[in-house]
Structure formats: structure tokens, C-alpha cells
Amino acid sequence: MEDSNTREKILKGAAGLFMKYGVRSISMDDIARHLSVSKKTLYQHFADKEDIVTLVFRELLEENQREMEEAHRLAVNAIDELARLSTCMKKNVEEMNTSLLFDLQKYYPKAWAVWQDFKQRCVYESIKRNVDQGIAEGNYRPEVNAEIVSIMRMALVEITFDDKTFPLDKFKFAEVQMQIFDHFVYGVVTEQGKKLYEKCREFKPAEIINR
């Protein structure tokens, strides 16, 4: 097998394990066993586990960025973009272990730095652009401060990963994410925007993506 194919196979396999079980609980032995390769093969392609973690999350975030850009490209207005992003987010969080971000923050500083860069460079700019667009369209309240609500939105995303705030034995992760998303939307929309958003929510996920 070519080196590039082996490398991609390792990253894809590790990503599946991390998304399902979290990062800290998965060892190099677990990755090697899951992929039916030797640990020697892993170390031929990656320096250590943190190297794998960092590259996996860089690829995952690049995929998230492509989804965000596609939602913006296809959307007919700011509300439509939010509906499309909501569909993508729901799909992503249903596949995600809630310990991911806090594992990165505590144990994998390089991967955490990748997330922080993505959050500031891509997520913040996407939210702020959407809010400015929504205000210009009359779908968001004109008095909304785009910078403040964009920072607030990013902070709320991270809070949902905190098991102390939303214990997993009491709250479903996906439901928490979607409740907070709706709270953000209803906090910025005008009456016109509210009606439009609720109309968009009537579509099934595939209809939103394909319409």
C-alpha cells in the first residue's frame, strides 16, 4: 500500500475512534488494533498520538469550513443560511463525543490551538457576516451588535461541551446544541425573520440541503 494511502487510512480510522469515544481514552494501541496495523506503522507516519490528533482535527475542521462555505453559497438569505447550518450542525453533533473539546484543551495543546484558530478565523467571521447580512435584509434586529453576538455565539458552543454545565446523565448533547442555536436565532431575528426561520424549519434536512 502506498504511504499516502496508509497515512489517510490511519487518519480516517483514528477520526472515527475519536468521534465515538473521545480522544483521551484512545491509545496508539487502540488505533493500531482498529486498523489491523502495527504500532511501528503508525510511528512511521506520525511522530506521536498528538500528531495524529492534531492532523485529524485539522481535517475535520477543514470539512466543517467547506460545509459553512457551501451553506453560504447556496443560501438565498441569512435565515436560509442558518437553516442549512443548523442541519449540518445537527448531523455533526450526533456523531460527536462530548469530551472532544475539553480533552483537546487539557491534553493536546497543538490540536486545541488549531480549534482556536478555526474559531477565530472562520466561525467568528462567518457568524458576523451572517448577522450583518441579516440586519441589511431586515431579518435581524438593527440594534444587534454583530461583534458581541458573534463572540457570545462562539462561547455558547464551547459551553455545551462542559459536562459540569450540562451533565450527560441529564441532557442529550444534540438537544442542548440545538436549543442554544434556536436561542441565538430568536435573540436576533425581527418578526419578519422569525416567520422566515420557522418556515425554513418546516423542511426536512435533505430538503434544506437540496432546495
Side-chain angles (χ1 to χ4, degrees), residues 14 24 62 103 139 176 194:
R24 189 185 178 198
E62 287 174 354
D103 280 355
N139 290 321
V176 171
K194 178 182 176 182

Side-chain angles (χ1 to χ4, degrees), residues 22 92 94 141:
N92 291 337
E94 285 176 346
R141 294 184 290 110

Side-chain angles (χ1 to χ4, degrees), residues 13-209:
L17 291 174
F18 295 154
M19 294 293 283
K20 186 173 182 179
Y21 300 107
V23 177
R24 189 185 178 198
S25 63
I26 297 299
S27 66
M28 294 291 270
D29 285 317
D30 294 326
I31 297 172
R33 190 180 306 112
H34 177 68
L35 295 171
S36 299
V37 301
S38 66
K39 283 179 66 176
K40 181 180 178 181
T41 299
L42 298 184
Y43 286 109
Q44 285 175 341
H45 294 275
F46 304 97
D48 50 27
K49 180 184 170 183
E50 182 166 15
D51 190 22
I52 295 178
V53 171
T54 302
L55 291 170
V56 162
F57 277 89
R58 180 171 284 119
E59 288 195 357
L60 289 173
L61 293 176
E62 287 174 354
E63 175 61 25
N64 286 346
Q65 182 172 351
R66 287 191 290 271
E67 290 178 346
M68 293 167 66
E69 291 171 350
E70 182 75 352
H72 176 57
R73 185 182 69 82
L74 295 174
V76 297
N77 54 49
I79 295 290
D80 186 31
E81 181 178 357
L82 286 184
R84 293 172 185 275
L85 290 174
S86 173
T87 300
C88 293
M89 184 178 72
K90 186 175 182 180
K91 174 180 68 70
N92 291 337
V93 299
E94 285 176 346
E95 302 169 353
M96 184 181 296
N97 186 286
T98 58
S99 70
L100 281 178
L101 280 188
F102 282 85
D103 280 355
L104 297 188
Q105 183 178 16
K106 191 169 183 178
Y107 302 105
Y108 301 96
K110 292 179 182 178
W112 178 250
V114 170
W115 159 248
Q116 290 297 307
D117 174 69
F118 174 77
K119 185 177 70 172
Q120 295 297 329
R121 174 180 51 81
C122 184
V123 179
Y124 171 81
E125 291 301 329
S126 175
I127 297 170
K128 185 176 182 301
R129 177 196 46 70
N130 179 272
V131 173
D132 286 335
Q133 179 183 342
I135 292 173
E137 294 168 344
N139 290 321
Y140 299 167
R141 294 184 290 110
E143 68 271 22
V144 166
N145 184 308
E147 290 184 80
I148 292 175
V149 298
S150 298
I151 293 170
M152 180 181 70
R153 171 63 186 148
M154 291 191 300
L156 288 174
V157 168
E158 290 193 355
I159 286 175
T160 62
F161 287 87
D162 186 357
D163 185 47
K164 294 179 181 179
T165 304
F166 296 103
L168 293 179
D169 59 352
K170 187 176 181 181
F171 300 100
K172 293 181 179 180
F173 180 60
E175 183 179 0
V176 171
Q177 284 277 7
M178 300 315 297
Q179 284 281 323
I180 289 179
F181 184 83
D182 278 350
H183 181 270
F184 165 75
V185 175
Y186 285 118
V188 299
V189 292
T190 58
E191 190 61 32
Q192 168 186 301
K194 178 182 176 182
K195 292 177 181 178
L196 186 57
Y197 181 62
E198 291 179 345
K199 182 178 180 180
C200 286
R201 292 181 69 188
E202 295 174 1
F203 288 94
K204 296 179 180 178
E207 292 174 329
I208 290 176
I209 293 172

